[in-house]
Amino acid sequence: MAKKAVEKVVFNPVKSLQGFGFKSEYAYLAGFASIGLSLTSWLISRGKKTDDKAQSDRWGIFVGHWAPTFFALGIALKLEE
């Protein structure tokens, strides 16, 4: 019996991003921008009289969670460069 060669199809999302021209610097900038956006959205939401304080905390935390993702993508892209 002849063995059939099995080709593995590997999908690398980091290489795909790099193929679209996405650079590590862009990911780092997005990380810092998300930190600024988190702080800004939290401050604006806290200043509103009609908005619930817990809602402003949740919104700031939600946007703040984006930063580590962007920084991790930046490191992964830097390793591919």
Side-chain angles (χ1 to χ4, degrees):
M1 252 188 207
K3 288 186 176 181
K4 286 187 177 181
V6 178
E7 261 186 60
K8 289 186 179 182
V9 177
V10 179
F11 174 67
N12 187 344
V14 176
K15 285 192 183 211
S16 297
L17 283 174
Q18 194 177 32
F20 289 123
F22 199 78
K23 296 181 180 178
S24 61
E25 292 86 14
Y26 302 158
Y28 294 140
L29 286 173
F32 285 116
S34 71
I35 292 170
L37 180 63
S38 174
L39 180 62
T40 303
S41 67
W42 179 74
L43 288 171
I44 290 171
S45 185
R46 289 291 271 194
K48 288 184 178 180
K49 300 293 182 203
T50 59
D51 205 10
D52 183 24
K53 300 299 181 193
Q55 179 63 31
S56 64
D57 289 343
R58 286 190 295 269
W59 181 243
I61 290 169
F62 171 70
V63 176
H65 280 132
W66 300 347
T69 304
F70 287 127
F71 289 132
L73 277 173
I75 291 170
L77 286 165
K78 190 67 163 178
L79 292 173
E80 290 289 328
E81 291 174 354

